[in-house]
Amino acid sequence: MWSFLLKRFLHAIPVLFVVATITFFLIRAAPGGPFSSEKVLPPEAIASLNSYYGLEKPIYKQYYEYMFSLLKGDMGPSFQYTNRTVAGMIMEAFPVSLELGFMAMGFALTLGVCMGVFAATKPNSMRDYMSMSFVMIGICVPPFVLGPILIWFFAIKLEWFNVSGWGSFRDCILPVITLGAIYAANIARLGRAGMLEVLSQDYIRTARAKGVPEILVIVKHSLRGGLLSVVSYIAPAIAGIITGAFVVETIFQIPGLGRLFVLAAFNRDYTMIMGTVIFYAVMVIIFNTIADVIQIVLNPKRSFDEG
Amino acid sequence: MFLLKKILLKRDKGCVVEEGNSLTREAFFRLRKNKLAMFGLFFLLILVLFSLLGPYLASYSYYRQDLGLGAAGPSFVHLCGTDLLGRDLMARMMYGGRISLAVGICATFVSLTIGVVYGAISGYFGGKLDSLMMRIVDIIYALPFTMLVIVLMVWLGRNFILIFVAIGAIEWLTMARIVRDEVLSLKNKEFIEAARAIGLSGWKIIFRHIVPNLLGIIVVYITLTIPRVMMIESFLSFLGLGVQPPMSSWGLLIKDGAQVMEEYPWMIFFPGMLFSLTLFCLNFLGDGLRDALDPKMKD
Amino acid sequence: MKEILFGVVVLSLGILIIGCSQKKSNLENASVNGIFYAGNGNEPQDLDPSVVTGVSEQRIVSALFEGLVSENPQTLQPEPATAESWDISKDALTYTFKLRKNAKWSDGIPVTAQDFVYAYNRILSSKLGSQNAYMLYCMKNAEGFNKGTIADFKDVGVKAINDHELQITLERPTPYFLPLIAHMSWFPLQKKNIEKFGAMDQRGTKWTLPGNLVGNGSFILKDWKVNKVIKVVKNPHYWDAGNVKLNEIDFFPISDNQAEERTFRGGQLHMTFTVPTSKIDYYKKNASDVIKISPYLGTYYIAFNVQKPPFDNVLVRKAFSLAIDRKSIAEDVMKGGKIPADSFTPPNTAGYTSLTKLVYDVQLARKCLADAGYPDGKGFPRVEIMCTKLDIAEALQDMIQKNLNIKISLVNKEWKMYLDSFRTRDFYVATASWIGDYNDPLTFLGMWTSDSGNNRARWLNKDYDKLMAESSICINHNSRFEIFKKAETLLMEQAPIIPLCYCTSMALLAPQLKGWYPNVLDHHPYKYMSLEKTL
């Protein structure tokens, strides 16, 4: 296993290098600089800003210097938020995103697995259609519609929750539902498909024939195999959920990573864009590795040797 | 993307569509038993007609404003009401349907083409080329997807055509991996060996004999990718990076409607229902097709 | 089986909901404790008064610092603040300010005249690259020092006579000088505080973080969580602390105006930063005491690229101007009590009102277009309107097409790209807006001179330049305004820009909030605000 992890780690280095390079040049190619503002700056001020952030140097030199400081673990200062560093801001936003992401995943798992398994117990029946239709709301209604509807009903009409903000557990519920809905739908789908496959196996038929109660058949004999694909879905999904929550973060006013990135892209905050993208890539690699490890552990057909 | 791969690979790897029509017919028979999927198929046909033919029958154009009228509720004059600038919502929905479906189909087509060709080449030729090509896929996988779309949109500007290309250019990865895996397993089958023995070139083998065997996967892929793309389109509209008015798309209408859903509920209700139902139908049709094409799923 | 599974789902959802079925009302609690919850737009980029430019930053900085004078919350007239009195020389070129003896920094050290000199030296030093340095250009040699032609700061017209007397010498008579110095770029800074964290002209040091920042305003920075909240609490060392009624202000950076409005409606804010257009009618009808709409010192306009055909022809520009129904744009599209514009400078700006009148006349517009060589829009090249927000541009597009029979396309650009297009002059027509920096017509008319960087139309007119030069040396108030009127008439006749309507500022205010007054700069000093405990 350790050699497997080492191999993954070595593979990650060129990936991160390419990711950083592509983003660096893409974002520099975009029109408009970090200091173009509504009221035009005198050229002297622009010159001094450029020299402060090293933007007056030729691009290859900027690239070289950025990569070099990145190697030393320095992501530089944010262009937009002048008294902060990129690393500092990411580290402040990351725990929030992590918390939101894990809770949303927990919600999605609970709902998704229940509904998926429930639907699979009687395929092509009303039960199947109803439960699957219910979870499918998650992938059919865009979060920027689902969020405001939930807010309108639960926060404004019923006054159960705060409309926005991030502090107590109560503040998490609506965003978690909004964010988790789409994942719940996918988990339900995977769970249903996996269960269907397992339930058609011979040993299940044998178990049923032996008179094992249905509930035991499902919980004891088929859940493990049926949910294998769900397990390997979770890890990469968490990576996505953590950084891809821009819409939910905007609607519910959550100080997470997604907003950090999108605002940076619009403001041409070069260092912040680089920082968030690289951070995200690292997350993807880590969670994908975790997914593989879990799969290998759970699935006897695979081994750590395959890479 | 992982999800899609899992769903698609439900199909038995050993099964090869060489046995002729019977399997297709059998699959269709199984699909017909899935009422939800059939409903989806039926509804989609109506939707396509609505979007394609609708604008010819409508009495309003999608861009003509009536500022004095402003946002008016549904009435016999404007069946679905009007938007904030007094434009007929029904006409905008029809026109928006064209754009949204076009975005979905084009982006899917782009990604399908890249994915199939890329995956087939990588899988068939194998060796160093394969590992290089798959390394590239890994790299693009690690690129933050939404971030990449945003960076691309910022870089390229708000261009309608480019939306297709940008989305399609990113969505192909899953397809490439799946096709590669399938090709790897097909490569050593007898009929391919036979084709090779009679001296067919690699390209011919790939496109004459291997790709047709992937049809099932491709169909499922299409039905599941179109809704994903449409969702992305709506996300881009939310960011203000999507289709630009006076053109319309469902994503744009929903975004506009969501902002005024309490004052003018019809502006979110009609486009929202249409959008969600379409996604719903496509997803169920995709799931149904996957179930149907999986020969193990016989009861 | 069915029942059990269903039970699990229902139960877990139920627990979730019941577990949190009580919610206390935030706003009432806050009001009782004197905590003011304010929506504040974007996340502030920094809180350094010499560096920041945006409204979101201004709202916080003005709680943390105080200048020589402050604005009357209703009339915006300058009132004594850190300076308790001042003398103006006969030629109106020298101002001598007497500072309050009891004015103190938040660490208890007295505010001295040197602190102002230090702040002005800092903002004008070219290495800092302040975007606000131009606000000080009326000071003698300030522009030269900022641009590097004058090396020694001693030559700049600011001097500390002693600890409590500050003398400022101006480059030229500036009738709006006193209102101008209420702006944050004129706030004092504590040398000791800033240089603890870096050199004077170093950007981005940590001195503006909570715990570090020392200010002289009525509040102290207590907490700053990015994208979440900025908290400021009452400053006990403030010279007028006895009159500050609020104990704390929490600024929430809610950049999405829809989300902000919902947050307000959910009872989590006393005041919003703005109001979404779609909600204006609702509040006007159902809660007219909550929504506050007041004129704002700014104008929406469209700018032509006058160096690019067909808009190099004044007749074409006129035709466009005549074909636009400003009333409909103001009332049906922009809403919120917007007034159709007749001039670029909003009426009654520091007492100045332009004489110009802009009309909507389709017949005349068509005639102008025909005279320009495009009868009935024939042969008119394909042009596009550039914008960042669609509503106005969409309406314009439709009007031009209907009235002039010209097809125009729309390009909605993302903000930075839009700014870049002005820089590279890669546009035909663009919708834009301008918010005045200070309450004087000059902030509107000064930007259309040939050498102005903000002249987006790239309109070069010698007569206009001459008029503006004349106005800058004119001491007499009335004759200065007469020159402005001439200049504005010329601007409207040549029509490099077409004003559409004047801006309004909008906010939603909870009824508990008292001491908030509407004014054209949308400045609301917190010193005067209070929260009523019960309703």
Side-chain angles (χ1 to χ4, degrees):
Chain A
M1 180 166 150
W2 292 111
S3 71
F4 172 81
L5 289 181
L6 183 73
K7 210 159 128 199
R8 278 306 176 93
F9 178 74
L10 291 178
H11 278 169
I13 293 169
V15 172
L16 286 177
F17 175 75
V18 174
V19 167
T21 307
I22 293 176
T23 323
F24 186 91
F25 287 103
L26 261 187
I27 202 68
R28 299 290 161 132
F35 307 117
S36 51
S37 60
E38 182 164 22
K39 290 182 182 164
V40 174
L41 281 176
E44 297 81 14
I46 293 193
S48 73
L49 286 175
N50 279 342
S51 81
Y52 177 74
Y53 290 106
L55 291 176
E56 87 290 359
K57 293 175 192 152
I59 184 129
Y60 68 87
K61 209 161 174 196
Q62 290 180 38
Y63 171 71
Y64 167 80
E65 280 173 11
Y66 180 83
M67 293 307 251
F68 199 73
S69 63
L70 194 65
L71 274 184
K72 290 189 292 187
D74 178 14
M75 292 189 177
S78 161
F79 286 21
Q80 175 83 2
Y81 306 105
T82 39
N83 59 2
R84 311 245 171 194
T85 61
V86 171
M89 288 187 80
I90 290 180
M91 280 349 268
E92 209 175 314
F94 179 54
V96 175
S97 286
L98 201 66
E99 197 184 340
L100 177 69
F102 272 107
M103 284 204 290
M105 194 40 80
F107 164 76
L109 266 179
T110 319
L111 186 69
V113 168
C114 285
M115 287 306 197
V117 172
F118 184 57
T121 51
K122 209 173 168 196
N124 287 343
S125 70
M126 209 55 200
R127 178 196 293 186
D128 180 18
Y129 296 155
M130 290 306 285
S131 49
M132 286 313 282
S133 303
F134 176 70
V135 279
M136 282 290 204
I137 290 175
I139 17 181
C140 297
V141 180
F144 61 85
V145 175
L146 186 61
I149 288 178
L150 289 176
I151 291 178
W152 174 77
F153 190 70
F154 289 105
I156 293 178
K157 287 284 146 201
L158 297 178
E159 298 189 8
W160 285 357
F161 305 107
N162 280 338
V163 172
S164 68
W166 186 257
S168 60
F169 173 71
R170 184 195 301 248
D171 288 341
C172 310
I173 291 171
L174 292 183
V176 159
I177 294 176
T178 313
L179 186 59
I182 186 163
Y183 295 92
N186 287 337
I187 288 172
R189 259 170 152 184
L190 288 172
R192 177 177 173 274
M195 287 301 285
L196 279 182
E197 196 179 325
V198 173
L199 288 175
S200 65
Q201 305 273 326
D202 290 337
Y203 71 92
I204 297 290
R205 224 170 287 161
T206 322
R208 277 183 183 151
K210 273 188 181 165
V212 179
E214 188 67 17
I215 183 96
L216 277 183
V217 169
I218 288 171
V219 174
K220 245 180 126 179
H221 297 277
S222 22
L223 264 185
R224 191 187 143 106
L227 298 183
L228 205 64
S229 54
V230 172
V231 172
S232 37
Y233 169 72
I234 299 171
I238 288 180
I241 226 171
I242 285 172
T243 40
F246 170 72
V247 176
V248 173
E249 285 173 18
T250 306
I251 292 173
F252 292 96
Q253 214 46 42
I254 298 169
L257 276 175
R259 268 171 95 197
L260 222 49
F261 167 73
V262 175
L263 295 181
F266 284 137
N267 291 322
R268 305 287 189 282
D269 190 342
Y270 293 156
T271 44
M272 182 66 82
I273 298 171
M274 294 298 295
T276 39
V277 167
I278 292 169
F279 185 79
Y280 177 87
V282 171
M283 298 297 294
V284 171
I285 292 169
I286 291 177
F287 280 103
N288 275 335
T289 310
I290 295 175
D292 284 334
V293 170
I294 293 175
Q295 263 220 322
I296 293 169
V297 170
L298 287 182
N299 191 343
K301 281 186 208 147
R302 290 186 61 184
S303 77
F304 283 114
D305 300 331
E306 58 188 85
Chain B
M1 284 194 230
F2 170 82
L3 165 82
L4 208 55
K5 186 176 168 188
K6 270 292 153 198
I7 290 177
L8 298 191
L9 283 185
K10 285 297 295 81
R11 229 190 102 218
D12 186 341
K13 286 212 175 125
C15 163
V16 174
V17 196
E18 282 287 293
E19 301 138 41
N21 290 341
S22 66
L23 198 81
T24 330
R25 206 181 299 139
E26 207 180 317
F28 188 67
F29 177 73
R30 277 199 295 268
L31 183 67
R32 272 198 1 209
K33 274 189 20 190
N34 188 335
K35 292 193 198 77
L36 225 43
M38 287 312 286
F39 166 76
L41 187 62
F42 180 70
F43 187 81
L44 280 174
L45 284 176
I46 296 180
L47 262 179
V48 171
L49 286 179
F50 172 79
S51 299
L52 288 186
L53 302 180
Y56 296 109
L57 308 172
S59 42
Y60 296 92
S61 71
Y62 67 90
Y63 54 81
R64 181 53 79 209
Q65 303 173 358
D66 186 348
L67 286 180
L69 179 66
S75 64
F76 286 111
V77 191
H78 297 281
L79 282 179
C80 295
T82 55
D83 73 358
L84 291 172
L85 294 174
R87 290 176 293 208
D88 184 66
L89 197 57
M90 176 84 111
R92 288 184 71 69
M93 271 157 57
M94 290 170 177
Y95 191 79
R98 283 184 180 187
I99 304 274
S100 287
L101 291 173
V103 168
I105 292 168
C106 287
T108 305
F109 185 76
V110 169
S111 67
L112 190 69
T113 317
I114 304 179
V116 169
V117 172
Y118 195 97
I121 292 175
S122 178
Y124 186 80
F125 292 105
K128 281 232 172 67
L129 184 70
D130 179 37
S131 56
L132 176 74
M133 287 174 89
M134 281 303 119
R135 189 82 322 194
I136 294 174
V137 170
D138 283 345
I139 289 172
I140 305 179
Y141 249 119
L143 279 176
F145 165 72
T146 37
M147 298 186 178
L148 196 66
V149 173
I150 292 169
V151 172
L152 273 178
M153 302 300 299
V154 164
W155 179 44
L156 299 168
R158 292 165 167 157
N159 188 320
F160 174 61
I161 312 283
L162 292 177
I163 299 176
F164 299 146
V165 180
I167 298 176
I170 288 165
E171 281 283 312
W172 60 274
L173 300 168
T174 319
M175 197 60 203
R177 281 193 173 174
I178 295 164
V179 169
R180 171 183 172 269
D181 291 351
E182 289 288 291
V183 169
L184 276 182
S185 69
L186 282 175
K187 209 161 81 175
N188 301 320
K189 290 273 180 303
E190 290 90 354
F191 72 99
I192 302 290
E193 299 274 352
R196 217 176 284 142
I198 58 169
L200 280 182
S201 73
W203 296 104
K204 273 195 176 151
I205 295 176
I206 292 178
F207 291 105
R208 288 252 182 91
H209 297 277
I210 292 185
V211 172
N213 273 300
L214 303 173
L215 265 182
I217 288 189
I218 290 173
V219 169
V220 178
Y221 174 81
I222 291 174
T223 49
L224 293 180
T225 303
I226 293 176
R228 278 166 54 83
V229 173
M230 287 171 73
M231 202 64 163
I232 295 168
E233 194 267 336
S234 80
F235 170 69
L236 288 177
S237 289
F238 176 79
L239 291 180
L241 295 174
V243 172
Q244 297 302 319
M247 282 213 293
S248 82
S249 74
W250 287 344
L252 186 72
L253 292 177
I254 292 170
K255 176 214 152 214
D256 288 346
Q259 293 186 344
V260 293
M261 67 178 160
E262 288 166 61
E263 295 80 35
Y264 314 120
W266 64 89
M267 278 175 63
I268 182 70
F269 181 79
F270 293 110
M273 282 311 268
L274 212 54
F275 180 81
S276 297
L277 269 174
T278 309
L279 259 56
F280 194 80
C281 293
L282 278 165
N283 277 314
F284 272 113
L285 185 61
D287 281 0
L289 277 170
R290 195 236 314 116
D291 286 351
L293 289 168
D294 184 354
K296 264 199 275 177
M297 260 278 300
K298 293 174 197 151
D299 5 11
Chain C
M1 176 64 220
K2 194 164 157 187
E3 289 78 8
I4 294 170
L5 268 170
F6 237 114
V8 170
V9 175
V10 170
L11 211 70
S12 51
L13 280 176
I15 291 169
L16 224 61
I17 288 166
I18 294 164
C20 27
S21 56
Q22 303 162 302
K23 175 181 163 287
K24 57 179 193 294
S25 167
N26 312 335
L27 212 54
E28 270 155 42
N29 267 353
S31 302
V32 170
N33 296 324
I35 303 174
F36 172 42
Y37 288 162
N40 202 43
N42 294 316
E43 168 69 22
Q45 301 185 5
D46 199 343
L47 292 176
D48 183 339
S50 316
V51 172
V52 297
T53 51
V55 180
S56 302
E57 290 84 359
Q58 185 270 330
R59 294 223 169 155
I60 302 172
V61 167
S62 66
L64 300 174
F65 294 90
E66 188 183 65
L68 291 163
V69 302
S70 64
E71 292 156 331
N72 179 292
Q74 297 179 48
T75 61
L76 295 177
Q77 284 305 307
E79 287 180 344
T82 308
E84 58 184 354
S85 65
W86 51 84
D87 292 318
I88 308 174
S89 69
K90 283 241 168 55
D91 56 1
L93 284 176
T94 309
Y95 285 68
T96 312
F97 294 92
K98 270 206 172 53
L99 305 191
R100 256 174 232 286
K101 296 252 159 49
N102 59 345
K104 285 192 185 120
W105 292 98
S106 54
D107 56 2
I109 298 174
V111 180
T112 62
Q114 284 84 0
D115 293 329
F116 285 91
V117 178
Y118 178 75
Y120 302 164
N121 187 359
R122 179 166 184 264
I123 191 171
L124 288 172
S125 61
S126 58
K127 211 181 139 208
L128 187 75
S130 168
Q131 313 192 12
N132 272 336
Y134 75 96
M135 294 290 284
L136 282 79
Y137 283 2
C138 59
M139 211 155 60
K140 198 176 158 207
N141 288 336
E143 184 165 0
F145 179 76
N146 184 228
K147 294 191 170 160
T149 54
I150 291 167
D152 195 352
F153 187 70
K154 289 208 174 64
D155 297 334
V156 178
V158 59
K159 200 167 75 189
I161 299 175
N162 55 44
D163 275 1
H164 297 287
E165 262 180 277
L166 181 75
Q167 191 182 61
I168 296 178
T169 317
L170 303 183
E171 184 84 42
R172 60 188 95 86
T174 310
Y176 53 92
F177 181 66
L178 284 176
L180 183 69
I181 60 172
H183 187 269
M184 57 186 172
S185 48
W186 293 86
F187 289 171
L189 295 170
Q190 200 192 45
K191 182 177 179 190
K192 187 183 95 182
N193 179 224
I194 288 178
E195 298 193 349
K196 200 158 112 193
F197 300 94
M200 173 182 82
D201 50 6
Q202 192 182 340
R203 286 177 73 89
T205 62
K206 307 280 174 213
W207 79 272
T208 46
L209 292 177
N212 301 351
L213 187 138
V214 175
N216 69 329
S218 37
F219 292 87
I220 311 175
L221 184 64
K222 182 181 142 200
D223 196 8
W224 182 354
K225 294 252 181 322
V226 175
N227 280 331
K228 193 173 174 191
V229 71
I230 290 187
K231 290 181 178 175
V232 299
V233 293
K234 194 167 160 177
N235 176 3
H237 293 290
Y238 180 58
W239 64 269
D240 200 13
N243 282 325
V244 179
K245 290 147 207 136
L246 298 172
N247 292 325
E248 180 179 327
I249 311 175
D250 292 3
F251 295 97
F252 295 96
I254 312 182
S255 46
D256 183 66
N257 58 12
Q258 300 281 341
E260 189 193 33
E261 188 274 337
R262 283 193 298 262
T263 309
F264 177 83
R265 201 148 26 106
Q268 291 171 256
L269 291 177
H270 287 107
M271 181 178 88
T272 63
F273 190 70
T274 182
V275 183
T277 316
S278 57
K279 294 284 190 297
I280 295 172
D281 285 342
Y282 168 82
Y283 278 99
K284 274 178 143 178
K285 217 182 287 163
N286 301 308
S288 55
D289 52 329
V290 163
I291 187 166
K292 306 286 176 198
I293 299 176
S294 43
Y296 189 39
L297 195 65
T299 310
Y300 292 98
Y301 66 97
I302 57 181
F304 296 109
N305 186 348
V306 300
Q307 298 189 338
K308 203 168 178 180
F311 297 109
D312 54 346
N313 186 341
V314 64
L315 283 169
V316 174
R317 305 199 295 258
K318 286 237 121 159
F320 270 58
S321 176
L322 289 162
I324 293 170
D325 183 357
R326 290 178 181 73
K327 192 165 168 286
S328 176
I329 288 190
E331 285 164 16
D332 301 328
V333 182
M334 298 303 289
K335 299 193 176 149
K338 303 266 185 316
I339 300 161
D342 277 320
S343 58
F344 185 60
T345 317
N348 203 18
T349 299
Y352 162 89
T353 304
S354 163
L355 303 169
T356 53
K357 199 112 201 97
L358 297 172
V359 290
Y360 173 50
D361 185 339
V362 178
Q363 290 313 313
L364 198 58
R366 289 205 172 134
K367 196 173 157 289
C368 276
L369 195 67
D371 290 347
Y374 309 104
D376 198 29
K378 275 192 194 73
F380 199 84
R382 183 90 189 169
V383 297
E384 48 196 31
I385 308 182
M386 178 174 82
C387 59
T388 48
K389 260 191 86 190
L390 285 163
D391 36 16
I392 301 186
E394 276 181 273
L396 283 176
Q397 182 190 34
D398 199 53
M399 280 175 193
I400 298 294
Q401 186 166 353
K402 246 191 295 203
N403 296 337
L404 295 178
N405 197 23
I406 295 173
K407 262 200 181 276
I408 329 185
S409 38
L410 276 185
V411 249
N412 182 8
K413 287 195 176 165
E414 181 250 334
W415 180 240
K416 290 274 177 177
M417 286 177 133
Y418 167 87
L419 293 176
D420 209 52
S421 305
F422 280 122
R423 193 177 58 80
T424 58
R425 288 178 222 163
D426 176 26
F427 73 101
Y428 288 97
V429 194
T431 60
S433 64
W434 179 260
I435 308 295
D437 290 322
Y438 44 87
N439 197 8
D440 186 86
L442 187 64
T443 180
F444 288 91
L445 297 174
M447 62 191 277
W448 302 110
T449 55
S450 304
D451 57 355
S452 158
N454 291 317
N455 186 342
R456 288 176 168 172
R458 300 311 304 160
W459 178 64
L460 314 173
N461 188 303
K462 291 223 168 60
D463 295 335
Y464 191 84
D465 293 348
K466 229 163 83 192
L467 283 170
M468 294 317 291
E470 243 175 77
S471 79
S472 73
I473 49 165
C474 181
I475 306 178
N476 182 284
H477 183 79
N478 286 338
S479 46
R480 182 166 174 264
F481 277 10
E482 285 311 312
I483 301 172
F484 281 152
K485 280 176 190 166
K486 266 191 226 161
E488 181 131 28
T489 311
L490 180 65
L491 182 69
M492 291 299 103
E493 267 169 12
Q494 287 292 312
I497 51 158
I498 310 176
L500 296 174
C501 59
Y502 305 119
C503 301
T504 51
S505 62
M506 292 182 285
L508 301 172
L509 296 189
Q512 289 100 325
L513 185 68
K514 303 289 169 203
W516 183 99
Y517 306 97
N519 60 53
V520 289
L521 286 177
D522 202 16
H523 285 176
H524 310 285
Y526 304 108
K527 200 167 132 173
Y528 303 92
M529 288 188 189
S530 62
L531 291 167
E532 225 154 76
K533 291 181 172 64
T534 48
L535 279 180

